[in-house]
Amino acid sequence: MKRRKNSSSKQALENRGKEIALNNAMLDLGHNRYKVLSQSKIGKYYDVLFNSGGWECTCPYHIHGKRQCKHIIAVRYVIDSKKPIDKKRNVKITVPNVQCPDCHSTDFIKRGKRDNKIVSVQRYYCKKCKQYFTHRPGFIGRHYPSEMITDALHLHAIAVSPTRIVEFLHEKHCFSMTKNTIFRWIKEYGELLQKFQKMYTIVGDVWHADEIYFTVNGDGSYFFAVMDAFTRFIIAYDISKTKFKYDATLLFNEAIKNVDKYPDLLISDGLRGFKTGYKKAMYTRKTPRPTHIANVGIRNRHPANNIYERFNGEVRDRIDRIRGFKSDHPALFDLIVIYHNFVRQHAGINNKTPAKVAGITIDGINKWQTMIEHAALFCA
């Protein structure tokens, strides 16, 4: 009678192997040779190598049973995690060419300009449908130049208050406005750019989840988010009034919907809401199933969530400049996520944006304007 394999012990072995890999407890000697630190004996390393016979390890578990040990799993996991994202998914976001909004023809001529008190807009005449049109995708009906609007969005993304933004724009462009105009831009363009982000979210297979505290009208709230480990891309986020009663099911479902796949590994702290969300949104009886490591923390021996803690510090730097929020869903968080994913260069990923690491290139000097124009044509 054949002995039945214990799936739970196999899953536990894979979890221990991934923990070793995420702790960086190994040395790459080159030529498919590695040294992996023992978890039970202090200062002892096991040799892992790949030859014509497959993977081999010098640990007793592999020698006596000729089985795949946790040290081999750790090495293979590190090798797989270094694989770049499929080049077929590379995307280039460009400034849209001028075309007729009705018939999409490029056979047109320029016919003067339409002026208002602030901005001058070029008019075109379509030879195919005999109609006049203007080309300002994302900025149609705006009385201010697109440069002013994108400057306001960028400044608020780095937590400059609307009052200070009004002062800056008045000094730079010599135009006066009210802060209510800034609030309206932030809300409308934040929603539009969120649609753009959902359309262009390309991530790896290891995700991190965590939360950060902020106040709304003096009451505490929490910003929950999911980050990809390879690209540092914020996949999805949610806002809750509670922390310990929070259920991350909707957050994880949104993340899975945005990228249309499950992660291989989910890393979080021990918050019950993350465990509940994992069981409802990601756990399946089929193998291989996503693995959830839910014991990380700053003082824990497992430092795998540090890259998300850096994002928490980035968010904290912005919200600390604001004396609380008045809305349960502050529009600033929309811009912070867009700024983090597509605009800001991060030292931890070789001074690239998460979008660039994921293979998304945004052309043009003004990335905000390129994203808004592209979103207005293809994502609205």
Side-chain angles (χ1 to χ4, degrees):
M1 183 176 179
K2 293 184 179 180
R3 187 177 180 181
R4 198 173 184 179
K5 291 185 178 179
N6 191 336
S7 60
S8 61
S9 61
K10 182 178 180 181
Q11 187 68 31
L13 185 67
E14 292 181 358
N15 290 347
R16 288 196 294 270
K18 290 178 180 180
E19 286 189 13
I20 295 173
L22 292 168
N23 277 320
N24 296 319
M26 65 178 61
L27 301 173
D28 186 356
L29 305 179
H31 304 288
N32 294 327
R33 297 180 64 89
Y34 300 85
K35 278 188 173 296
V36 182
L37 184 64
S38 172
Q39 289 185 309
S40 57
K41 298 181 180 180
I42 299 175
K44 182 175 179 56
Y45 281 85
Y46 294 111
D47 295 326
V48 177
L49 60 102
F50 182 79
N51 53 29
S52 59
W55 289 98
E56 294 183 1
C57 181
T58 57
C59 73
Y61 183 85
H62 178 76
I63 292 175
H64 297 307
K66 294 298 180 183
R67 298 166 291 185
Q68 182 172 248
C69 63
K70 59 185 177 182
H71 311 106
I72 295 177
I73 293 175
V75 171
R76 295 184 64 178
Y77 182 78
V78 169
I79 293 174
D80 291 340
S81 65
K82 290 181 179 179
K83 291 180 180 179
I85 293 175
D86 188 0
K87 294 183 179 179
K88 295 180 181 179
R89 301 185 66 184
N90 284 357
V91 179
K92 190 173 184 180
I93 309 298
T94 60
V95 178
N97 296 324
V98 179
Q99 61 180 2
C100 177
D102 295 328
C103 64
H104 304 289
S105 173
T106 57
D107 187 12
F108 59 85
I109 59 175
K110 294 182 179 180
R111 280 292 177 87
K113 293 185 178 182
R114 187 182 66 199
D115 300 328
N116 60 21
K117 294 181 180 179
I118 299 177
V119 67
S120 179
V121 181
Q122 178 68 54
R123 298 175 71 223
Y124 302 93
Y125 177 75
C126 179
K127 294 182 179 181
K128 185 176 180 179
C129 63
K130 313 299 182 183
Q131 297 290 333
Y132 289 92
F133 67 93
T134 59
H135 183 75
R136 294 189 74 200
F139 302 97
I140 296 176
R142 302 300 181 189
H143 298 290
Y144 295 93
S146 57
E147 293 80 6
M148 288 185 62
I149 298 175
T150 55
D151 283 347
L153 297 178
H154 183 83
L155 289 172
H156 195 61
I158 59 176
V160 179
S161 67
T163 303
R164 298 291 180 265
I165 293 174
V166 169
E167 296 175 0
F168 172 81
L169 295 179
H170 178 72
E171 182 68 23
K172 181 179 179 180
H173 300 280
C174 299
F175 297 138
S176 60
M177 63 183 70
T178 65
K179 64 180 182 180
N180 290 332
T181 303
I182 305 297
F183 281 122
R184 186 170 65 252
W185 291 347
I186 293 168
K187 184 177 184 300
E188 294 178 3
Y189 286 108
E191 294 175 354
L192 178 63
L193 290 173
Q194 282 301 314
K195 296 179 181 179
F196 171 84
Q197 172 174 284
K198 291 179 180 180
M199 188 173 181
Y200 296 106
T201 302
I202 303 174
V203 298
D205 298 319
V206 181
W207 297 359
H208 295 256
D210 205 351
E211 80 288 334
I212 188 173
Y213 174 84
F214 67 98
T215 59
V216 176
N217 291 325
D219 298 328
S221 294
Y222 294 87
F223 173 83
F224 291 85
V226 179
M227 171 190 282
D228 174 54
F230 180 69
T231 62
R232 310 292 176 92
F233 205 100
I234 301 300
I235 307 171
Y237 75 90
D238 191 15
I239 293 175
S240 173
K241 286 287 187 182
T242 63
K243 175 180 179 180
F244 297 105
K245 295 182 179 181
Y246 176 73
D247 186 350
T249 303
L250 293 178
L251 174 65
F252 293 157
N253 281 333
E254 181 70 16
I256 294 168
K257 179 182 176 182
N258 290 344
V259 299
D260 194 24
K261 72 172 185 178
Y262 291 92
D264 289 342
L265 178 64
L266 174 67
I267 301 170
S268 71
D269 55 25
L271 190 68
R272 179 174 295 180
F274 291 138
K275 298 178 181 178
T276 303
Y278 163 75
K279 291 179 180 178
K280 292 181 179 180
M282 298 183 184
Y283 183 83
T284 63
R285 292 186 179 274
K286 297 180 181 180
T287 56
R289 66 174 67 95
T291 302
H292 184 204
I293 296 178
N295 60 344
V296 299
I298 296 176
R299 295 184 180 180
N300 201 313
R301 65 177 180 83
H302 194 321
N305 226 23
N306 287 354
I307 61 172
Y308 191 100
E309 293 296 342
R310 180 62 194 93
F311 172 70
N312 277 347
E314 181 182 332
V315 175
R316 193 175 293 108
D317 289 343
R318 284 156 177 74
I319 64 178
D320 281 351
R321 305 176 194 175
I322 300 174
R323 298 176 182 176
F325 296 96
K326 296 182 179 180
S327 171
D328 291 337
H329 189 108
L332 173 60
F333 285 115
D334 291 337
L335 296 185
I336 287 177
V337 172
I338 293 294
Y339 177 73
H340 172 91
N341 288 341
F342 296 97
V343 181
R344 184 175 183 268
Q345 296 179 351
H346 303 270
I349 48 178
N350 299 324
N351 293 319
K352 295 180 180 179
T353 63
K356 185 68 174 179
V357 176
I360 303 172
T361 304
I362 301 176
D363 283 351
I365 299 175
N366 191 335
K367 291 184 178 180
W368 290 96
Q369 183 169 342
T370 303
M371 289 188 293
I372 290 172
E373 292 180 351
H374 188 89
L377 291 176
F378 303 107
C379 306

